DNA sequence: GGATGTGAACGACTTCACAGCG
DNA sequence: CGCTGTGAAGTCGTTCACATCC
């Protein structure tokens, strides 16, 4: 996953100097690590499932067990949310969910647009889980004039030219880039120019964005390569009798 | 049993006892870090592009610049490949590529199967970049009897029941799970039983695999949530410090 | 000069271990 | 008793700075 070294994430990294100031007065609490944030979404989804299953309180052990994370790690992470846990009992599921949603910034709705109408976009749009988390796709864009004017999953497809207008009208903040690598940078630039605040990039290329625009990159080919590498390691030089669990 | 290192966010996750792993893994001297491996695929793709563009040697600065990584970091990573760099000159592009491919284990062909024929699978199969890296999809599986017997991108769709046979016959080593969350664990178990060595999971759920089977998880919904979180953070103190480029 | 390779400093992340509370 | 919260220790990863070589 591409990582830009330019922009720091405000509120994420903290210097030693903050160390003394343990108790945050409001908003920004102790130190929120990037790694913890990476797990928050996982906690959230699992907790919602626990809730559906009628589990009123969860322990760090249960959560960790379900996600393949140590209990200590879970407690450290959840401590960032304030003192929600009750010794001897655990964490109230619903309260934890609310706190996580607040911390992740998804206790509100987000509107997003998608550029590039292909199979990947269709897969994304068809996954109804987004709506439950407050994400709403409001417009699609494609270069192909044939596609413009049509709909996918009930969402209109527009020409790239109308991007500034549509983004302004819908107030969309997030943009998904699902176009070939060659077109990706231009599309990203257009999204930024149109006022988009964050980009989820599926094109197999590194994007350059101005500071102030957030970026998450998902490179499917890279994932497969890494899997091959892991398998390569697992069966190569290791000739031990691995205790299968 | 208690799980150790769980999946990092867009996870690089290995079901293997980690404690002694670092020693066991390398027949090659320097300690190979997990983080470096995560960047190897990125280096590889960029280098191949440099080669196409006729660049015979690259410096750590060039590579880093192109990928948003510091030059020191690039040198540290590439040092794991041996001493390929020439002071004052840089790294020979072709040699670096070869070394990376060898290290990643993709200087050979990999065969893979995909379970779940939907839009996501189609998107994967359509991306021709895999073949260039030596990945070949040899079979698709789906529960839907309507789909069985048909083809996608020239690849046959089989019933789940024939998985053991097909996997054995094709010698497939990698499996892609692109089914709904509810079915994912069962599918994964079937893949493992059929002899698959590594799984790329797109279902929004955590899979449990026996040691010896590698796992990479890509959760699209989580990615969007994390993007929202980054934007959420950026919202407040917008930093215009770094020069836009 | 220009670039590599690398120990050492630094910082981030995880695990340990245990006090303390319900 | 079970479970949280948290310093402290340990591990991992990145950056710095500079000797070194072409």
């Amino acid at each position: 996953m591409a990582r830009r070294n330019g922009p720091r994430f405000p509120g994420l990294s903290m210097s030693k100097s903050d160390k003394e100031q343990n108790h945050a007065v409001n908003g920004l609490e102790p130190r929120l690590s990037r790694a913890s944030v990476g797990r928050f979404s996982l906690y959230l989804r699992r907790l919602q499932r626990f809730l559906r299953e009628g589990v009123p309180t969860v322990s760090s052990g249960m959560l960790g067990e379900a996600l393949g994370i140590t209990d200590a790690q879970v407690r450290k992470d959840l401590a960032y949310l304030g003192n929600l846990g009750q010794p001897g009992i655990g964490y109230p599921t619903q309260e934890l969910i609310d706190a996580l949603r607040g911390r992740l910034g998804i206790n509100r709705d987000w509107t997003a647009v998608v550029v590039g109408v292909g199979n990947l976009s269709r897969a994304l749009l068809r996954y109804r889980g987004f709506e439950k988390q407050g994400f709403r796709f409001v417009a699609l864009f494609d270069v192909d004039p044939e596609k413009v004017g049509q709909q996918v999953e009930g969402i209109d497809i527009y020409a790239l030219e109308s991007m500034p207008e549509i983004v302004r009208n819908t107030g969309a903040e997030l943009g998904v880039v699902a176009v070939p690598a060659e077109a990706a940078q231009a599309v990203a630039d257009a999204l930024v120019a149109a006022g988009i605040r964050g980009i989820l990039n599926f094109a197999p290329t590194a994007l350059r964005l101005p500071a102030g625009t957030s970026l998450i990159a998902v490179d499917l080919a890279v994932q497969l390569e890494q899997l091959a590498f892991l398998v390569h390691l697992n069966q190569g030089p290791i000739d031990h009798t691995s205790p299968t669990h």
Side-chain angles (χ1 to χ4, degrees), chain A:
Chain A
M1 135 169 339
R3 186 80 158 286
R4 309 178 46 73
N5 56 356
R8 283 279 86 136
F9 299 105
L12 266 191
S13 329
M14 49 309 142
S15 49
K16 290 280 190 186
S17 45
D18 300 333
K19 233 176 181 176
E20 307 305 319
Q21 203 178 7
N22 245 356
H23 254 61
V25 191
N26 70 83
L28 299 175
E29 261 139 56
R31 7 178 215 283
L32 180 44
S33 88
R34 176 112 172 82
S36 299
V37 168
R39 286 181 297 261
F40 279 179
S41 314
L42 300 176
Y43 294 146
L44 179 57
R45 170 156 31 222
R46 199 58 183 77
L47 285 167
Q48 286 169 331
R49 186 167 145 200
F50 275 132
L51 196 65
R52 281 200 306 278
E53 293 165 351
V55 181
T57 57
V58 296
S59 69
S60 57
M62 288 167 65
L63 247 187
E65 170 75 8
L67 295 172
I69 296 170
T70 65
D71 56 337
Q73 183 71 76
V74 172
R75 287 199 298 280
K76 266 267 156 71
D77 286 343
L78 298 186
Y80 291 132
L81 302 170
N83 292 18
L84 295 176
Q86 291 176 285
I89 310 286
Y91 303 81
T93 312
Q94 181 66 62
E95 277 181 42
L96 245 196
I97 290 174
D98 295 342
L100 275 170
R101 290 180 64 87
R103 198 62 146 137
L104 284 170
I106 56 175
N107 50 353
R108 46 161 288 202
D109 280 0
W110 289 88
T111 50
V113 301
V114 177
V115 188
V117 179
N119 288 305
L120 184 57
S121 313
R122 286 177 223 271
L124 276 177
L125 296 171
R126 183 163 292 194
Y127 176 53
R128 315 306 286 198
F130 288 124
E131 281 156 30
K132 275 194 307 224
Q133 297 294 355
F135 290 97
R136 207 157 51 86
F137 292 103
V138 294
L140 311 179
F141 297 94
D142 204 288
V143 274
D144 185 353
E146 297 270 312
K147 290 179 181 165
V148 173
Q150 300 196 343
Q151 287 194 337
V152 172
E153 299 283 324
I155 303 160
D156 290 316
I157 304 177
Y158 299 94
L160 293 179
E161 290 73 32
S162 27
M163 196 186 286
E165 185 192 340
I166 304 285
V167 168
R168 187 168 3 94
N169 291 348
T170 58
E173 290 166 291
L174 310 180
V176 177
V177 175
V179 301
E182 309 80 61
Q185 184 65 57
V187 162
D189 292 343
L191 281 169
V192 170
I196 286 288
R197 303 291 319 264
I199 288 179
L200 177 54
N201 178 37
F202 286 101
T205 188
L207 294 184
R208 309 206 135 248
L209 300 182
T213 305
S214 305
L215 173 66
I216 297 267
V218 177
D219 191 321
L220 301 182
V222 164
Q223 302 306 316
L224 200 62
E225 277 171 30
Q226 302 216 2
L227 178 63
F229 176 72
L230 289 186
V231 173
H232 180 64
L233 282 187
N234 263 350
Q235 65 192 5
I238 320 168
D239 75 312
H240 63 1
T241 54
S242 106
T244 308
H245 130 12

